[in-house]
Amino acid sequence: MNQGGFMGIHILHLVGREILDSRGNPTLEVDLGTAKGWFRASVPSGASTGSHEALELRDRESSRYLGKGVQICIRHIQNRLDPAIQKLTFSSAREVDQWLIEQDGSENKTNLGGNTLLAVSMAAHRAFASLANQPLFEYLNKTYFGSRSMTTPTPFMNVINGGKHADNGIQIQEFMIVPHFRNQQKSVHDKVRAGVEIYHHLKKQLSQAGHSTNVGDEGGFAPGLHHEHEAMDFILEAIRKAGYQVGSDVGLALDIAATEFYRNEKYFLHGPAEPLSAQALCEYYVKLLDDYPEIMSIEDPLAEDDWEGWRELSAAVKSRGRQLFLVGDDLLVTNPKRLNQAIERSACNAVLVKMNQIGTVSETIDTLNLALKADWQAIISHRSGETEDPYIAHLVTASGVEWLKAGAPCRSDRNCKYNELFRIYGNKNI
Ligand code: PEP
Ligand code: MG
């Protein structure tokens, strides 16, 4: 960074405030002031968080918002970051991130909080995009992806919610539809539209079968089903009813979030009466993949530190020649060190990318680029607690990565991401 007036941005002001996320919990929003104007960003929050994620700093004062307030982040911004940043000029948004990381000075952002750093980092990238007279996606593309060409994004839409995102008794957290249209050129509008139509057919079918169509945290339905097969069968039927081909037009994806039901080296996928070893669980997945050939992606099938289980499943899938994204979320936490470990151990072949797991925009993108360099798949992801900030629509567009996991097409905290894609892509068929 530069002391004094040379080309770049002089950040005049940082203002933090507490806003509410989609679950009604406080989260952090930042306004960053420059001579060119104000730039705003807000951070999401997970429920099934990996223990290796950057720290989400909260007040822990039980008398306020049940301990979930973020006044402590606001104080860090007001008392530490704002006075110090005013003396500096930055020539790139990455420099702002580096400065933030130095100010925190810890491995996992435990001093100032990953949420504090991320809100400032996101707003700073918006400011630099504006200085360059570019929309955010274009600035990120040119700055971090060597102008890598764009791909039409395909949504992973979580249409049935379970696990920690609903209270319906299904252990698997997410049942997603993926309208990828493998053999056809489709616009982002067509892909999102397919997801929406399937979602509404699913609602009709669940209702006709006497199930609740109340929704979970990510806008997917949360019916009281007894087994994951039932959930998938309803979804496959909805795809057909909507007039799409199962498999070639629309695939299935699961987020098992297995850390949530792992205790004492056993997996309780089917409740307390049926503990499964990692090996038994892997055998179960292999059978599931045979029974449901349309499953194209499984996220977090094993617990966050069960490296041996991951390696075993990865080897089993590979030996059968089965095409599958084996996605590390809690396993990798968007962290380059854990990603490198996974690459070395052949633990999986895809990374879920969540900005608040690592705590700055540039570090997120460094991890993403590391995965792309290793020829891995990457999925840009929301969190279960979201805000109205559509940042991830810009990130997926900038990166040239095809996959965006942004929830069901329901509730504005999810649909704002799809609506931003509509704005970015306009009538272009890219
Ligand atoms: C996920 O596990 O992929 C997810 C989006 O949920 P959460 O934000 O609760 O971690
Ligand atoms: Mg996950």
Side-chain angles (χ1 to χ4, degrees), residues 161 165-166 199 212-222 410-411:
N161 294 186
H165 297 168
Y199 181 78
S212 157
T213 55
N214 291 342
V215 300
D217 287 356
E218 296 185 352
F221 303 113
C410 178
R411 307 291 190 248

Side-chain angles (χ1 to χ4, degrees), residues 293-310:
E294 43 288 301
I295 295 176
M296 55 177 279
S297 175
I298 300 189
E299 180 183 327
D300 281 353
L302 292 134
E304 62 189 356
D305 288 312
D306 186 359
W307 289 97
E308 185 48 34
W310 277 89

Side-chain angles (χ1 to χ4, degrees), residues 43 56 58 126 173 358 409:
V43 296
E56 183 180 79
R58 293 196 179 271
R126 283 206 163 107
Q173 182 178 283
I358 185 77

Side-chain angles (χ1 to χ4, degrees), residues 103-160:
Q103 297 305 300
D104 175 77
S106 70
E107 175 79 15
N108 258 1
K109 278 84 180 179
T110 44
N111 290 326
L112 298 178
N115 41 352
T116 309
L117 264 57
L118 181 62
V120 178
S121 168
M122 289 165 71
H125 281 77
R126 283 206 163 107
F128 272 90
S130 173
L131 183 76
N133 286 318
Q134 288 163 357
L136 180 60
F137 70 86
E138 190 180 334
Y139 173 76
L140 295 175
N141 176 258
K142 292 193 166 131
T143 307
Y144 293 107
F145 296 99
S147 301
R148 195 177 131 94
S149 55
M150 297 180 191
T151 321
T152 311
T154 296
F156 274 53
M157 289 179 167
N158 178 7
V159 292
I160 293 189

Side-chain angles (χ1 to χ4, degrees), residues 48 173-174 255 299-300 329 352 354 405:
S48 64
Q173 182 178 283
E174 301 174 22
D255 181 1
E299 180 183 327
D300 281 353
D329 171 15
L352 200 78
K354 291 169 165 169
K405 175 169 133 155

Side-chain angles (χ1 to χ4, degrees), residues 322-358:
R322 177 69 154 81
Q323 292 290 312
L324 182 75
F325 300 179
L326 258 182
V327 187
D329 171 15
D330 292 350
L331 178 78
L332 305 174
V333 291
T334 317
N335 183 310
K337 288 186 189 149
R338 292 192 63 94
L339 176 61
N340 270 324
Q341 265 179 293
I343 293 170
E344 277 164 28
R345 298 180 189 200
S346 301
C348 48
N349 61 16
V351 59
L352 200 78
V353 176
K354 291 169 165 169
M355 293 191 290
N356 76 329
Q357 285 183 327
I358 185 77

